[in-house]
Amino acid sequence: MNVIEQIIKNKKNMLEKVKQKKNLSQIKREAFDYRDSMDEKFRFQSVLKKDKTTKLICEYKPASPSQGNISDLDVNEVIKIYDESPVDMISIITEESYFKSNFRNFQLANENTNKALLRKDFVIDEYMIYEAAANNASCILLIEGICPDIEKYLNITTDLGIDAIVECHSRDDLENVVDLNPQIIGVNNRNLKDLTINLETTKHLREYVPNYMISESGVNNLNDARLLKSYNADALLIGTSILRENNPPSIKSYIQKLHDVLI
């Protein structure tokens, strides 16, 4: 069993426990009640539409399968930094077993910022979409090849008034979803099978992306960010290299430099 298969197995087990406390009907009702009370919808797209600069999405990610432990900084510390810095949107990993985070971290982030939030996880059940929407998510991640029904889940996000990033890793992935006309494609530069990075993935897939494109994974330095910007990415999602700075002043300084590269 590879890492992804183990993550999915663990996620299914965790979801069963969550559903015992609150079933699908309950979380669905909460999600629609909450979203109906909001004036602003599709906040990720709203930020992407603001101007032609490459947007910066900063991620909270304590660990990862490829990097191991990344940072011991508390989610409240990190979100405070992101909130005060020139960060356009914020991504919160909520996977428990390999990324060492959880949905509570998403809820804490929501309490500490008004910036648009992405719930980043391996969405394998519609429950996770309603759970995110009920807790002020602006966007969720749907991974081609892992998400069981992208068309159905995109329809759910539309009904809820939240965005979805459809993550692709190859031209085949894109061809599988392009007829659904997803508004935001996430091109992951990491190969999920062997966890290797190739920034050229963004370059090769850009021409096949119909709308907005977010380049994910692999930014280790300012030159990497500059390169991905040159490939016409609409936004970069960066976590590891930011959190590896491991103290607030250094993180703030690095974010400012990334911002200056992208504007």
Side-chain angles (χ1 to χ4, degrees):
M1 186 180 293
N2 64 31
V3 169
I4 300 301
E5 290 170 337
Q6 187 62 54
I7 287 173
I8 300 307
K9 179 182 177 181
N10 293 344
K11 180 59 63 177
K12 288 179 179 177
N13 291 336
M14 291 293 295
L15 272 173
E16 287 306 311
K17 295 176 182 177
V18 171
K19 289 178 180 179
Q20 288 174 9
K21 297 178 181 177
K22 187 178 294 183
N23 64 33
L24 177 60
S25 295
Q26 290 173 298
I27 194 65
K28 185 184 291 190
R29 184 167 58 251
E30 285 183 17
F32 278 109
D33 285 348
Y34 177 73
R35 302 305 297 187
D36 288 345
S37 72
M38 296 184 66
D39 294 326
E40 192 176 11
K41 312 288 185 183
F42 300 109
R43 289 165 60 202
F44 250 61
Q45 282 190 66
S46 299
V47 178
L48 289 168
K49 288 175 181 176
K50 276 199 304 188
D51 52 52
K52 294 188 180 298
T53 60
T54 303
K55 303 300 183 292
L56 177 59
I57 306 170
C58 291
E59 186 162 84
Y60 175 72
K61 178 170 63 173
S64 75
S66 62
Q67 302 291 324
N69 290 336
I70 294 170
S71 175
D72 295 325
L73 290 175
D74 179 80
V75 64
N76 293 314
E77 289 181 273
V78 174
I79 299 307
K80 185 174 186 294
I81 296 167
Y82 290 173
D83 189 64
E84 296 173 349
S85 301
V87 173
D88 295 294
M89 301 93 110
I90 299 172
S91 170
I92 307 295
I93 293 269
T94 60
E95 197 278 329
E96 301 87 352
S97 52
Y98 283 86
F99 292 86
K100 298 186 179 179
S101 190
N102 51 60
F103 192 68
R104 178 58 183 154
N105 283 333
F106 184 90
Q107 294 171 316
L108 289 170
N110 181 49
E111 293 172 6
N112 285 280
T113 186
N114 289 320
K115 292 186 177 182
L117 293 177
L118 162 67
R119 182 199 182 167
K120 193 158 177 269
D121 208 323
F122 296 80
V123 174
I124 57 168
D125 191 302
E126 64 185 282
Y127 188 99
M128 299 172 70
I129 304 174
Y130 293 113
E131 184 180 47
N135 286 272
N136 200 36
S138 300
C139 191
I140 52 100
L141 184 76
L142 305 177
I143 304 174
E144 165 60 18
I146 291 177
C147 177
D149 192 336
I150 286 183
E151 182 174 13
K152 175 183 177 181
Y153 289 8
L154 282 174
N155 288 335
I156 291 172
T157 60
T158 299
D159 290 343
L160 288 165
I162 66 173
D163 272 315
I165 298 171
V166 178
E167 181 175 292
C168 296
H169 307 81
S170 66
R171 186 172 174 183
D172 285 344
D173 285 350
L174 277 166
E175 288 178 349
N176 288 338
V177 302
V178 71
D179 287 345
L180 303 175
N181 194 33
Q183 295 303 297
I184 308 173
I185 292 283
V187 172
N188 196 333
N189 299 304
R190 186 181 301 282
N191 184 315
L192 291 188
K193 294 179 180 177
D194 60 18
L195 304 182
T196 56
I197 290 285
N198 182 4
L199 297 183
E200 295 296 296
T201 304
T202 291
K203 179 182 180 181
H204 296 324
L205 297 186
R206 183 63 182 103
E207 64 179 295
Y208 306 107
V209 175
N211 299 301
Y212 293 110
M213 184 191 74
I214 295 172
S215 183
E216 307 171 24
S217 301
V219 174
N220 290 312
N221 51 57
L222 298 179
N223 285 335
D224 290 338
R226 196 173 285 112
L227 180 66
L228 292 173
K229 178 187 177 182
S230 76
Y231 296 156
N232 296 317
D234 295 297
L236 305 187
L237 192 154
I238 307 173
T240 301
S241 64
I242 292 172
L243 293 173
R244 277 252 163 90
E245 296 292 322
N246 222 28
N247 67 78
S250 295
I251 291 174
K252 287 181 180 179
S253 175
Y254 183 47
I255 289 174
Q256 184 62 56
K257 291 174 183 176
L258 284 168
H259 171 76
D260 293 345
V261 163
L262 297 181
I263 58 173

